[in-house]
Amino acid sequence: MTIQRAKPLEILYDEVEAYDLVVVPDAPLADGLNRHLDRPHLGDFATIPRRLAAGGREEHEERTVFLELLSETDLSWKQAAYLGEEIIHCWEYTGRPDAILDYDQFDTPAVRRAVEHVEHLETTSRALTDYTIDDDLEVAVVGYPQLSELERSILPAEFDTVGRFADDSFEYPPFHLFDTSADIIATLLDTITAENADDVGVVLDAGSEFSTLLESALDAAEIPFYGGPGFLDQPDHRTFLRLLRTAFRGGDVRVGDVKPVLQRLDFDVGTTHDEKRLHQLDVADLDEFVEWCTTIRDGEWTFKRALTEFGALLDDGEFSAFHEELVTLGLASQSVTEARVDDLEFYLQSYDVPLDREHEGVLLADAKSATTVDRPLVFYLGLDDDWTQTPPQRPWVDRQAEFERHLQRFQALLQNGEAQYYLARDTVGGQPVTPCLYFEELLEESFTQFSDLDAARYTAPQTSTDAGFDASPLSVGPEQPATISQSSLSTYVNSPRDYFFDRLVDSPDRDFFRKGNLFHDFAEFYVHHPDVVADEDLDTFVDVMLEEMSPFVRDVDRAVHRTHYEAGIQNVITYLNEHAPAASDLVLDGQDVDENTFAAYFDRPVGATVTEQWFESVDLGVKGKIDLVASPGRLVDYKSGAKKSARQVVKNSAIEDLSDTPDFQALLYLAYQRTQQPGEQLEFVFVHFLENLDDIVRGEGDLADTLTSVTYYPTPYVEFVRQQSTFERLRDDGANDCQKTFSKAEYADYAAVFDDADFPATRDRDELIESPFGDALVDRMVEAVGDYKYVRNGCKQALRELMRIRNGNYFEDDLDAFEAFVDERLTELHERRAGDERFPVTDLLEEPNYRRVDHRDLLLEDSR
């Protein structure tokens, strides 16, 4: 089967011009034939049955029926909508208003009452039932199979049928394939202008993304169009409904959830508060909005009052049509309740409220309802399986006949205009796009996506314009950062472009950041004032934390959070009781009390040089803040996240083999601290104060389960493992065979191995075991102890232990390599900020770890 050629309007007119009346299935076809009429004619020439029977009036009868049932019966809004639509639909397909009662599942008292109200109502279905075309007229019917049973009922006893299709086939144009929907819209805008808009039609699925994208693009380009957005699509109408909905969403609604409403009402709160609960937000500019929502929720306003106040808030709001609709629905004088808002939203989403439209400009036609688009140039967007119409599963519908009707309608739709352009995407999200299923019936080809058919790929035109933002050249170079923090460095390594957008795009406050900061504040406060904490009930501190977290925490979750805070505070206190500096060692450096939540609450000073210590070293190119300098050789950092082992910490900061979860905090802080304590052994301790939460709840908490310690040795690694102390560690603390072997050897035997072979640059224990160094160790120990199985196994155990030392600690050469790495990254950063090259999506890794990316929607993967 192929696509049958639809007869052009000129041919159809030639075939029907001698008739008194021409009945057609859709209004655009009737309008097209009437425009070809070249002789005087009294009354209708070409028309659709509904216009003929209703005297030219076209109405939304489903809405009329709904309003009748709503006002004259006790049916709920959804019942009235459902029964009204079913009665009208059955009437359309059977020709009788009461035919629905022939089906047992619909023969109920409620349906019978509804039929009694609907069958005598002045609707186009009633007009069609009562109307018959005069037998004296010469009548032609074009597209008879497309007429419903009710529409056919008006035909006279004798009439002629005229086929919509010719005998030959239609050679459809090639599909134009684009990468994205935005590219398709850009292509249209490159073709359509305000001057040629009246010559252009666009066929698309009204429920697809193409619809909103195209409407927005045409509106922005000031190109007129019609047939698109409806009553609820009007921005202010939608905003008003969202505002009513917001009032009843409860105390847990987030600022980000209602951002479109806030922006339309000119409440500018930025992005900082997006994750916070609206009703717990302490922002003066939003007090009016929150009070507004509270007033609505309390039922103090009617819908009319709410709409009036909303219009006043917008200044330029004009809502006469919306007010008339509220009056029609009987809601204007009703108080605003959640149930009534539900009903209003259901109604506006279910029915097309009549709008006064200017019928000029680009014609937007819905692919699921249109058949004729009488424009010289017609674009078809999408053409995917969303264009397929599923025959309704109702007992009075012949599904096969319905499918044939849709198929014929689709064939005619594809051929509108003097020129047709099929614009589609071949893939979306890496998955092939399935063409509309009607193509399977029409084309004698095998295909699964558009590229299997006659298709060509296109790219969107590069638009250029002389107009743009005003710019004034400045003789100022880009500011180059002299230092970088550990978090920025980790982000940069994962994705330089994500780092770049971090500098440009504001991000909202997050609950986990705020929670972590509160624990840091408590730890700092406890170091300064352990006596205050000891004298005060810990519930006081928990209450302060809950109050600070209230913008983020739902009321139902407060008990869970209380448990978290209690456990975390207990762990912090336990750790600091053992490791905090003596009170006599604290020297205040004048920090503002307001920078610490608990210092502000108790009005006590904090800010010793050992807590929350900010550092910045231009020589190293690093900066950061150390939570606690417990001693000159021990740095402490508090973590609310999951615990990592020392091995994981070192692995994530490795320079020679970068991790996909890069984290350079311990390495960077130790690099700085060794400048303060040169030549000294240093320790970095992570306190994961929520790690043992479950154990604390059971009364079994152990502080050791929360600690991860990484040691820095001021010696190169190979030199460190060559030392006698390492030999003694293997001899005294190694695994069984290792101890047995090395207890029978001398340190000189061990040291000689380092002269026999080079220690390999690896962190893999198997590589070390199989290396020449591993072989040399076995040879020396066999020579010194004997060729026994336990000796060979003991050597393997020793080599594994050397790798454990390597992978769980930092050494002088690690920090040296890191400092060189930071220099390289800062050099790159300077070049990219200066515009010498763009920030790539990824550089040092094969691909970014997208779970750690903050601006995923801004990273274009095909652009490196």
Side-chain angles (χ1 to χ4, degrees):
M1 184 177 182
T2 59
I3 301 176
Q4 282 186 277
R5 176 175 294 281
K7 296 175 182 176
L9 282 175
E10 295 81 358
I11 301 299
L12 274 178
Y13 178 74
D14 289 342
E15 294 185 18
V16 300
E17 64 174 331
Y19 289 90
D20 298 320
L21 179 66
V22 181
V23 178
V24 298
D26 58 273
L29 178 58
D31 295 339
L33 290 173
N34 286 330
R35 281 193 288 271
H36 282 77
L37 189 63
D38 56 1
R39 57 182 173 78
H41 189 278
L42 182 62
D44 293 311
F45 171 64
T47 187
I48 60 174
R50 290 182 175 274
R51 280 185 184 174
L52 188 62
R57 292 182 294 106
E58 293 186 63
E59 62 178 25
H60 303 277
E61 64 177 339
E62 289 86 355
R63 174 173 172 270
T64 302
V65 168
F66 167 77
L67 294 174
E68 172 72 13
L69 294 178
L70 190 65
S71 63
E72 299 299 327
T73 70
D74 58 357
L75 294 172
S76 69
W77 288 51
K78 289 187 178 181
Q79 286 176 323
Y82 172 70
L83 293 183
E85 290 175 8
E86 294 299 286
I87 292 169
I88 291 295
H89 194 268
C90 185
W91 195 347
E92 179 78 17
Y93 277 75
T94 62
R96 290 172 40 223
D98 59 349
I100 193 171
L101 300 176
D102 296 342
Y103 304 93
D104 292 342
Q105 65 267 44
F106 291 99
D107 189 9
T108 66
V111 178
R112 286 194 291 272
R113 287 196 304 273
V115 169
E116 290 175 1
H117 286 281
V118 172
E119 64 180 341
H120 300 299
L121 196 63
E122 291 187 7
T123 61
T124 51
S125 291
R126 180 73 262 169
L128 281 168
T129 304
D130 297 338
Y131 185 84
T132 302
I133 297 174
D134 193 333
D135 286 334
D136 293 337
L137 295 177
E138 294 289 332
V139 177
V141 179
V142 177
Y144 179 81
Q146 296 292 310
L147 298 180
S148 68
E149 194 65 35
L150 181 58
E151 290 171 327
R152 293 172 184 174
S153 68
I154 72 169
L155 298 175
E158 294 184 4
F159 58 88
D160 294 330
T161 59
V162 177
R164 184 77 181 272
F165 298 94
D167 294 332
D168 57 337
S169 61
F170 170 70
E171 295 298 328
Y172 67 92
F175 294 96
H176 295 63
L177 303 184
F178 295 83
D179 291 331
T180 67
S181 54
D183 287 345
I184 292 177
I185 301 303
T187 299
L188 284 180
L189 290 185
D190 193 54
T191 304
I192 305 172
T193 65
E195 289 71 28
N196 67 11
D198 288 332
D199 296 326
V200 178
V202 180
V203 183
L204 42 69
D205 175 13
S208 70
E209 63 181 304
F210 290 110
S211 181
T212 52
L213 285 174
L214 182 57
E215 291 162 14
S216 299
L218 292 174
D219 190 51
E222 297 183 350
I223 297 174
F225 65 95
Y226 71 96
F231 184 87
L232 189 55
D233 295 314
Q234 304 299 315
D236 289 343
H237 293 175
R238 186 172 292 277
T239 300
F240 178 64
L241 191 62
R242 285 179 173 174
L243 178 60
L244 297 180
R245 175 62 64 213
T246 298
F248 294 99
R249 289 184 62 178
D252 294 327
V253 61
R254 308 284 168 170
V255 172
D257 296 335
V258 296
K259 205 64 173 290
V261 178
L262 293 173
Q263 290 173 337
R264 181 65 187 95
L265 298 178
D266 289 331
F267 289 105
D268 184 12
V269 293
T271 60
T272 303
H273 303 294
D274 281 1
E275 297 294 324
K276 298 177 182 178
R277 295 194 298 162
L278 175 66
H279 293 277
Q280 293 295 325
L281 195 61
D282 186 17
V283 176
D285 291 344
L286 280 185
D287 287 346
E288 181 183 5
F289 180 78
V290 174
E291 182 180 356
W292 222 74
C293 292
T294 303
T295 303
I296 294 175
R297 186 176 65 240
D298 292 343
E300 296 182 12
W301 285 353
T302 63
F303 279 90
K304 178 181 178 181
R305 172 74 183 279
L307 186 62
T308 301
E309 295 289 341
F310 177 70
L313 201 61
L314 287 177
D315 292 331
D316 60 347
E318 201 287 313
F319 297 100
S320 58
F322 207 130
H323 179 262
E324 290 176 9
E325 209 59 28
L326 291 175
V327 171
T328 300
L329 294 169
L331 288 177
S333 60
Q334 297 286 328
S335 60
V336 181
T337 65
E338 185 173 12
R340 289 173 181 148
V341 172
D342 289 342
D343 288 339
L344 177 60
E345 184 175 25
F346 166 76
Y347 168 76
L348 293 176
Q349 290 177 344
S350 301
Y351 296 102
D352 292 327
V353 178
L355 286 175
D356 291 331
R357 297 179 183 270
E358 295 292 335
H359 284 215
E360 60 181 22
V362 178
L363 171 60
L364 305 184
D366 185 4
K368 292 183 178 179
S369 59
T371 300
T372 302
V373 181
D374 189 17
R375 294 295 176 91
L377 181 61
V378 182
F379 294 94
Y380 299 79
L381 308 190
L383 296 141
D384 52 31
D385 55 359
D386 288 336
W387 281 39
T388 307
Q389 291 183 266
T390 302
Q393 296 186 356
R394 292 182 172 99
W396 51 81
V397 175
D398 183 335
R399 292 174 59 82
Q400 183 59 39
E402 188 72 3
F403 176 80
E404 294 295 333
R405 288 178 62 188
H406 290 318
L407 186 63
Q408 287 200 6
R409 185 197 60 78
F410 180 73
Q411 290 186 85
L413 178 63
L414 291 178
Q415 305 176 49
N416 283 283
E418 297 173 10
Q420 306 88 23
Y421 292 91
Y422 300 167
L423 313 183
R425 295 169 296 179
D426 198 39
T427 60
V428 172
Q431 299 298 315
V433 173
T434 304
C436 178
L437 298 183
Y438 296 130
F439 283 119
E440 287 189 5
E441 296 291 326
L442 299 175
L443 303 180
E444 298 175 345
E445 301 178 59
S446 176
F447 61 89
T448 58
Q449 59 192 99
F450 287 107
S451 56
D452 296 333
L453 299 166
D454 181 12
R457 294 193 174 275
Y458 289 81
T459 57
Q462 298 296 319
T463 57
S464 61
T465 176
D466 294 335
F469 294 108
D470 292 335
S472 300
L474 299 175
S475 57
V476 177
E479 180 182 344
Q480 302 293 8
T483 57
I484 191 168
S485 68
Q486 60 89 12
S487 60
S488 293
L489 180 61
S490 298
T491 299
Y492 182 85
V493 168
N494 186 51
S495 172
R497 192 168 302 174
D498 191 45
Y499 163 87
F500 172 68
F501 284 122
D502 262 347
R503 314 270 76 75
L504 298 180
V505 181
D506 291 333
S507 298
D509 288 344
R510 300 294 179 88
D511 57 343
F512 52 87
F513 286 143
R514 185 65 186 129
K515 181 173 72 173
N517 288 339
L518 286 171
F519 277 107
H520 282 71
D521 285 356
F522 175 80
E524 181 183 30
F525 185 78
Y526 186 74
V527 169
H528 292 79
H529 305 289
D531 54 329
V532 174
V533 177
D535 294 341
E536 191 72 43
D537 192 327
L538 287 185
D539 282 344
T540 301
F541 297 92
V542 175
D543 290 341
V544 171
M545 296 178 77
L546 282 171
E547 180 60 27
E548 290 292 320
M549 289 295 294
S550 60
F552 298 101
V553 179
R554 300 181 305 169
D555 293 339
V556 70
D557 294 328
R558 286 177 67 88
V560 174
H561 280 260
R562 175 175 287 277
T563 301
H564 283 219
Y565 303 156
E566 290 173 350
I569 285 175
Q570 289 177 25
N571 280 328
V572 170
I573 291 174
T574 302
Y575 179 80
L576 291 177
N577 283 342
E578 298 180 19
H579 300 286
S584 59
D585 295 335
L586 300 181
V587 178
L588 296 179
D589 62 355
Q591 180 177 329
D592 188 348
V593 169
D594 291 338
E595 293 183 12
N596 183 295
T597 301
F598 299 97
Y601 183 83
F602 289 99
D603 195 21
R604 299 294 182 97
V606 295
T609 55
V610 296
T611 60
E612 301 297 318
Q613 179 187 343
W614 171 259
F615 68 88
E616 184 166 13
S617 171
V618 175
D619 291 338
L620 295 180
V622 299
K623 61 183 177 182
K625 182 183 286 187
I626 301 171
D627 293 345
L628 174 66
V629 183
S631 69
R634 175 180 290 159
L635 308 181
V636 177
D637 193 80
Y638 309 109
K639 293 292 185 186
S640 59
K643 179 183 175 181
K644 294 180 177 61
S645 66
R647 183 176 183 277
Q648 289 174 306
V649 171
V650 173
K651 179 181 179 182
N652 287 338
S653 62
I655 304 302
E656 68 277 8
D657 184 19
L658 289 168
S659 167
D660 65 349
T661 55
D663 187 342
F664 303 103
Q665 183 179 18
L667 191 55
L668 186 148
Y669 285 23
L670 287 170
Y672 169 76
Q673 191 64 11
R674 78 166 175 173
T675 66
Q676 309 300 303
Q677 303 292 323
E680 298 294 326
Q681 180 174 313
L682 305 174
E683 183 184 21
F684 195 98
V685 180
F686 292 100
V687 182
H688 297 274
F689 49 79
L690 295 178
E691 180 66 23
N692 62 345
L693 175 64
D694 293 343
D695 292 338
I696 288 179
V697 171
R698 292 192 297 266
E700 304 170 357
D702 185 351
L703 180 67
D705 294 335
T706 71
L707 304 180
T708 296
S709 178
V710 184
T711 302
Y712 162 70
Y713 296 99
T715 308
Y717 167 68
V718 175
E719 182 179 326
F720 178 86
V721 296
R722 182 173 182 163
Q723 294 174 348
Q724 185 168 349
S725 59
T726 304
F727 171 78
E728 293 171 354
R729 173 175 175 172
L730 296 173
R731 183 191 63 198
D732 300 335
D733 300 322
N736 292 338
D737 287 346
C738 178
Q739 291 186 36
K740 186 176 180 180
T741 299
F742 281 75
S743 64
K744 296 180 179 180
E746 300 295 331
Y747 169 66
D749 299 317
Y750 174 73
V753 179
F754 290 85
D755 296 327
D756 296 341
D758 292 333
F759 198 98
T762 182
R763 290 180 180 271
D764 184 271
R765 64 184 187 179
D766 292 332
E767 286 186 22
L768 177 60
I769 290 171
E770 296 170 3
S771 70
F773 181 88
D775 294 338
L777 179 64
V778 172
D779 292 343
R780 278 286 178 174
M781 291 300 111
V782 166
E783 180 181 341
V785 180
D787 191 2
Y788 302 107
K789 182 177 180 181
Y790 76 85
V791 172
R792 294 181 179 276
N793 190 51
C795 288
K796 289 183 178 180
Q797 292 175 347
L799 293 170
R800 293 190 187 104
E801 180 61 25
L802 294 184
M803 275 296 96
R804 277 192 286 271
I805 294 172
R806 178 78 179 94
N807 292 329
N809 302 279
Y810 293 123
F811 299 88
E812 182 181 298
D813 39 350
D814 293 326
L815 269 64
D816 291 343
F818 176 70
E819 291 176 6
F821 179 78
V822 171
D823 286 340
E824 292 172 2
R825 302 289 78 74
L826 284 174
T827 300
E828 282 179 358
L829 188 57
H830 293 171
E831 292 172 351
R832 288 165 179 168
R833 287 174 65 97
D836 296 342
E837 61 175 290
R838 68 185 305 188
F839 284 81
V841 173
T842 187
D843 186 12
L844 300 173
L845 303 176
E846 288 187 7
E847 68 173 2
N849 183 341
Y850 285 108
R851 291 176 299 174
R852 298 166 69 92
V853 161
D854 292 326
H855 310 286
R856 179 67 181 87
D857 54 336
L858 298 178
L859 304 187
L860 303 179
E861 295 181 35
D862 59 347
S863 175
R864 297 299 180 188

